[in-house]
């Protein structure tokens, strides 16, 4: 299976952050990584390890050398903008049963209209005692939800004024005819995971597009899929890390990486990263310090190790859109399948600067990987990534990179088939050059 075909499988397996973590964990353990519970002692011996918390995963390879040389962290995120089910979701309107949702992140709301939507996420239930709980992954691939667009005959101004959607009024999916009673959705959830409705305590459920990822284009140049932002980067990171590890130690170009390779896949980037499992939280810094401690280092040794460390923030990059060329900085065009993108912004919306991007560019040059440079227009506000947050949190030089794509934050985005290998190989090269 080539890298782009493998990416289709990974994307299809991951309709939610929790499924993405489960898929990544499976790939890593299959490659020999040992799962470590975050509340248990970390192993002191060299090897490949992974820990998960909710929608976040952190994996690392402890080399057969002094861990005080520092870390090389690759960060990405598992969440994507979508529609998430409310806790009291049963809604009735005009004889239809609907499911109440919240808009999560910067959704391109128009792209969710007239799509076949399934439901997926996690459900927490009672298990064995008054305080015991169990978490189930739920995935229903049936097209059970739909948000129909208003007919043009009832919105004659749409051609002149454009589509205007009120997220409170116009994005509530329908799923059945007839009136909805409170508890109907909870009973559906219980039936999906095989428990009594009274045992369902809570859920994090979301709609997703049931159309599978596909390779498209005249010459099979593109990948069309939901959640390319940012599962594309996440799975490139997973496969790059497994290619660096032998499962019981470190594979080497010569002696392997001298600094500790770390992969951090965060949740909640699309809503600002401020959570216990987001980049603004303490999870990664705590894990890194515990890795140092597991190898016998104290707090001072850890801080010295951080001073020798490096972070690569991998997220989507805007390709130049052929129908909206005027929306792009004219001297910095970005081509899909043109190579990995280094992103710069003088106002620190991206963490790259001259010093921090240089090691990444050198690693790519030595590996023969093409590199492009993205800069945002002055007259448009620039988005951001986990890069500045992680850099500030750790005090570590950081470069912001990514694979180019179109239709970012749409329900169905577009990336390049060749860029799967470009991004994966660049991350592997960075870890092995460290």
């Amino acid at each position: 299976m080539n890298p782009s075909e493998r990416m289709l499988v990974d994307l299809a397996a991951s309709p939610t952050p929790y499924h993405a973590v489960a898929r990544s964990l499976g790939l890593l353990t299959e490659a020999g990584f040992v799962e470590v519970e975050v509340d248990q002692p970390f192993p002191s011996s060299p090897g490949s390890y992974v820990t998960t918390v909710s929608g976040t995963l952190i994996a690392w390879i402890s080399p057969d050398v002094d861990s005080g040389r520092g870390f090389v962290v690759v960060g990405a995120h598992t969440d994507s903008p979508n529609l998430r089910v409310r806790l009291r979701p049963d809604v009735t309107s005009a004889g239809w049963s609907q499911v109440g949702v919240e808009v999560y992140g910067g959704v391109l709301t128009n792209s969710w209209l007239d799509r076949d939507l399934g439901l997926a996420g996690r459900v927490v239930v009672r298990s064995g005692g008054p305080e015991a709980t169990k978490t189930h992954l739920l995935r229903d691939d049936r097209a059970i939800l739909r948000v129909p667009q208003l007919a043009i005959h009832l919105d004659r101004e749409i051609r002149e004024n454009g589509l205007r959607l009120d997220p409170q009024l116009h994005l509530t999916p329908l799923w059945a005819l007839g009136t909805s009673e409170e508890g109907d959705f909870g009973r559906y959830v219980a039936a999906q995971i095989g428990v009594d409705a009274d045992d369902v305590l809570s859920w994090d459920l979301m709609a997703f597009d049931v159309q599978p990822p596909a390779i498209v284009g005249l010459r099979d140049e593109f990948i069309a899929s939901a959640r390319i932002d940012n599962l594309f980067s996440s799975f490139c990171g997973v496969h790059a890390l497994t290619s660096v590890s032998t499962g019981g130690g470190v594979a080497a170009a010569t002696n392997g990486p001298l600094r500790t390779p770390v992969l951090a896949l965060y949740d909640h980037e699309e809503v600002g990263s401020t959570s216990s499992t987001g980049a603004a939280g303490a999870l990664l810094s705590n894990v890194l310090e515990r890795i140092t401690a597991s190898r016998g280092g104290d707090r001072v040794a850890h801080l010295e190790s951080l001073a020798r460390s490096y972070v690569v923030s991998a997220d989507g990059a805007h390709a130049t859109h052929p129908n909206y060329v005027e929306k792009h900085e004219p001297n910095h065009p970005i081509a899909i399948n043109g190579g990995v993108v280094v992103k710069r912004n003088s106002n620190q919306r991206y963490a790259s600067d001259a010093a921090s991007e240089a090691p990444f560019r050198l690693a790519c040059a030595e590996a023969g990987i093409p590199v492009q440079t993205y800069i945002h227009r002055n007259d448009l506000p620039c988005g951001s990534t986990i890069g500045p947050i992680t850099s500030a949190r750790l005090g570590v030089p950081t470069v912001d990179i990514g694979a180019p794509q179109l239709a970012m934050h749409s329900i169905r985005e577009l990336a390049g088939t060749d860029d799967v290998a470009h991004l994966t190989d660049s991350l592997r090269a960075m870890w092995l050059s460290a």
Side-chain angles (χ1 to χ4, degrees), residues 88-171:
R88 297 183 63 183
D90 299 297
V91 177
T92 297
S93 179
W96 293 90
S97 290
Q98 297 175 275
V99 176
V101 295
E102 285 185 286
V103 174
Y104 176 88
V107 177
L108 276 175
T109 52
N110 62 291
S111 68
W112 285 75
L113 302 178
D114 304 323
R115 306 290 302 193
D116 294 336
L117 305 176
L119 275 168
R122 65 177 178 178
V123 183
V124 180
V125 302
R126 292 187 181 88
S127 177
E131 296 182 359
T133 62
K134 182 177 181 180
T135 300
H136 294 261
L137 288 183
L138 182 154
R139 176 171 181 165
D140 190 343
D141 287 303
R142 296 177 297 161
I144 58 173
L145 298 179
R146 195 170 182 88
V147 185
Q149 188 166 191
L150 184 65
I152 193 170
H153 313 83
L154 304 176
D155 188 10
R156 292 292 187 179
E157 294 77 28
I158 190 172
R159 288 180 176 167
E160 291 76 26
N161 300 332
L163 179 64
R164 297 176 182 272
L165 294 174
D166 183 320
Q168 177 68 17
L169 300 176
H170 302 147
L171 292 179

Side-chain angles (χ1 to χ4, degrees), residues 266-268 272-283 285 386 389-390 393:
Y266 292 108
D267 201 354
H268 301 139
S273 294
T274 304
S275 73
S276 62
T277 52
L283 182 59
S285 60
I386 64 168
I389 296 170
T390 305
R393 179 81 190 172

Side-chain angles (χ1 to χ4, degrees), residues 227-361:
R227 303 176 299 281
I228 285 174
D229 178 16
N230 187 31
L231 293 186
F232 192 103
S233 300
S234 295
F235 285 111
C236 285
V238 169
H239 292 292
L241 192 64
T242 59
S243 74
V244 171
S245 171
T246 63
V250 177
T254 305
N255 295 317
L258 296 178
R259 291 187 282 183
T260 301
V262 180
L263 175 67
L265 306 182
Y266 292 108
D267 201 354
H268 301 139
E269 188 274 346
E270 298 292 358
V271 292
S273 294
T274 304
S275 73
S276 62
T277 52
L283 182 59
L284 176 62
S285 60
N286 289 349
V287 167
L288 294 181
E289 186 166 1
R290 291 177 63 191
I291 293 171
T292 299
S294 73
R295 302 292 298 272
D298 58 15
R299 176 70 173 168
V300 172
H302 178 63
L303 294 177
E304 292 171 349
S305 180
L306 284 181
R308 304 182 187 107
S309 297
Y310 186 70
V311 173
V312 179
S313 166
D315 206 337
H318 296 295
T320 301
H321 197 303
N323 296 340
Y324 300 90
V325 176
E326 72 281 1
K327 294 294 185 180
H328 301 271
E329 210 293 310
N331 284 339
H332 295 81
I334 299 296
I336 280 181
N337 290 328
V340 68
V341 179
V342 170
K343 299 184 285 186
R344 288 286 296 269
N345 181 264
S346 296
N347 295 302
Q348 292 298 295
R349 300 298 287 167
Y350 304 130
S352 312
D353 60 23
S356 69
E357 73 176 60
F360 182 80
R361 288 186 179 275

Side-chain angles (χ1 to χ4, degrees), residues 193-207:
I193 59 175
V195 302
D196 292 335
D198 291 342
D199 288 332
V200 174
L201 297 174
S202 57
W203 57 67
D204 294 302
L205 295 172
M206 53 206 77

